[in-house]
Amino acid sequence: MKFDKLCTLSLSIAMTVTAVLGPALLVKNAHDKDIERARILSYKPRPKLIVEIDTLNLNRQNFNIEYPKAIAGVFTPLQNKVTVTYYNPTDNAEYINHACNHQNGMLPLTLRHEMEHARKAHMTKMTKPHYSAQTRARIAAINETMAPAGEIIEAMDYHYTNQKPIPTCKVFVKKACDNILNTTNQQTPAQPIDFNNQKIADIVIKNALDRFKGEIKTGQYVSTLRREYYNTLEISYTPNQECDPIQKVFFMPEFDMWAPMWQFETAGGQANLWLAASDKTRQKTLNTIDSIIQANTDKLPPNNIAFNIKNYLTR
């Protein structure tokens, strides 16, 4: 082979290898930085998560105005604060007392929902420049899917600990709990639920996904998906003490390594729903989320920076 042809062939191979491995090397370098950052965070003092309970006083005069716009719970990342609402009836009207009792009965689930957002904030709020638009939107979608899964876990743990169901809960939680109890052939758990069981993990993820789908249909989280899809800014976030730096190391969403976002504390110990679930459930979850992202971001023109960071202060 002539020298000039050999040089041309070598250059072609080098360019091909660079094109194929280049993005992976960039991701690896970024991941190496994550490992180093996690090592530093393990020793660096992190802010304590603030948990507050706000009281909302309700009566006949303000009920129709205050109750519809009330927020049961919220996680504020830049303040590292979880806030839940206690609904206080200051009127003897039956409908007001019923509404307050219903919301207050779900307070443990609301708190668990927001605490899961807080515990995973170092994965959901510290997105990287090398993440694709699709990956960023996926992170946002899974963040709003795994938190309802936390509600289901909390409800089942409550049932086991108190030997009775939680007083009130959302429809998707009750449906999931009923399915879990049918799977274990128990009406009241005699031991903590094993969320590392594949059938149970599938039930939890399926019902949490159904909840997310239902919320999307009502317009919830659509602006969140669009914001993350078009956001190219790396917004600074300081992880709180509830965040596990080691989980961040193993969180590689660009390679579909989602397990750290599905790690939960349960009455029966640590559980990872993603690792426990079937391949079919994992794939269906990602396919559904991808379809939702496409339906709500496709052909939508990028907006300005104000749109990118709007509402970042909550969730």
Side-chain angles (χ1 to χ4, degrees):
M1 183 179 293
K2 292 185 179 180
F3 181 77
D4 59 339
K5 290 185 178 180
L6 180 61
C7 287
T8 301
L9 180 61
S10 300
L11 180 61
S12 176
I13 293 173
M15 291 176 67
T16 301
V17 171
T18 301
V20 172
L21 296 182
L25 291 174
L26 288 175
V27 170
K28 181 184 182 303
N29 290 338
H31 185 55
D32 289 343
K33 291 179 182 178
D34 276 345
I35 294 175
E36 179 61 20
R37 187 179 292 110
R39 186 185 67 79
I40 294 171
L41 284 175
S42 296
Y43 299 98
K44 183 180 178 181
R46 286 173 283 150
K48 191 173 182 179
L49 182 69
I50 302 168
V51 179
E52 292 183 348
I53 298 178
D54 281 351
T55 298
L56 177 63
N57 295 316
L58 293 170
N59 51 53
R60 296 178 214 216
Q61 286 71 41
N62 71 0
F63 184 83
N64 290 334
I65 298 173
E66 298 298 332
Y67 186 77
K69 67 180 183 181
I71 299 176
V74 66
F75 167 57
T76 311
L78 296 186
Q79 296 177 10
N80 271 317
K81 182 170 70 174
V82 165
T83 306
V84 292
T85 300
Y86 174 78
Y87 294 76
N88 182 42
T90 59
D91 197 312
N92 60 5
E94 185 177 348
Y95 71 94
I96 294 176
N97 281 269
H98 176 76
C100 289
N101 289 335
H102 178 73
Q103 291 293 344
N104 293 335
M106 294 192 295
L107 205 149
L109 306 186
T110 302
L111 179 59
R112 179 60 178 262
H113 181 114
E114 302 306 332
M115 287 295 291
E116 293 303 339
H117 282 311
R119 290 181 178 121
K120 276 91 178 204
H122 59 320
M123 290 180 271
T124 62
K125 301 304 177 187
M126 298 171 71
T127 54
K128 302 301 171 191
H130 66 263
Y131 287 170
S132 67
Q134 185 72 10
T135 296
R136 292 193 301 270
R138 271 180 158 192
I139 292 172
I142 290 181
N143 186 36
E144 299 300 347
T145 305
M146 69 81 195
E151 292 186 56
I152 297 169
I153 291 172
E154 187 68 22
M156 290 308 308
D157 282 351
Y158 182 99
H159 198 162
Y160 162 71
T161 303
N162 297 279
Q163 289 296 286
K164 61 180 180 181
I166 196 161
T168 55
C169 61
K170 296 164 189 168
V171 174
F172 83 94
V173 173
K174 186 178 188 311
K175 182 179 177 182
C177 290
D178 288 344
N179 289 341
I180 290 170
L181 291 174
N182 288 336
T183 299
T184 60
N185 293 317
Q186 301 178 87
Q187 288 306 306
T188 298
Q191 59 277 325
I193 298 297
D194 179 12
F195 290 97
N196 287 311
N197 176 290
Q198 185 181 98
K199 289 182 179 179
I200 293 174
D202 283 352
I203 290 170
V204 176
I205 292 177
K206 177 187 180 300
N207 283 277
L209 181 63
D210 286 345
R211 171 65 177 179
F212 177 65
K213 286 161 56 180
E215 293 287 88
I216 285 290
K217 287 181 180 178
T218 65
Q220 288 284 342
Y221 306 129
V222 171
S223 62
T224 300
L225 293 182
R226 290 175 178 174
R227 182 186 67 235
E228 295 303 319
Y229 189 87
Y230 291 108
N231 177 32
T232 56
L233 303 175
E234 185 174 11
I235 300 175
S236 177
Y237 169 73
T238 303
N240 61 74
Q241 287 183 1
E242 295 291 324
C243 297
D244 184 351
I246 303 304
Q247 292 291 346
K248 174 69 173 174
V249 174
F250 295 102
F251 179 58
M252 291 185 280
E254 65 273 38
F255 295 124
D256 278 348
M257 296 177 69
W258 298 99
M261 280 187 68
W262 295 90
Q263 185 76 20
F264 295 92
E265 287 275 359
T266 78
Q270 291 284 331
N272 193 292
L273 297 180
W274 196 252
L275 295 180
S278 63
D279 290 338
K280 181 180 178 180
T281 293
R282 287 195 294 264
Q283 195 57 56
K284 181 179 179 181
T285 300
L286 292 178
N287 289 345
T288 301
I289 284 173
D290 284 345
S291 296
I292 290 172
I293 292 170
Q294 182 178 6
N296 289 281
T297 62
D298 193 31
K299 297 180 181 178
L300 182 74
N303 226 318
N304 55 28
I305 292 177
F307 177 83
N308 288 334
I309 62 176
K310 183 182 178 183
N311 296 328
Y312 181 77
L313 290 178
T314 55
R315 282 218 272 258

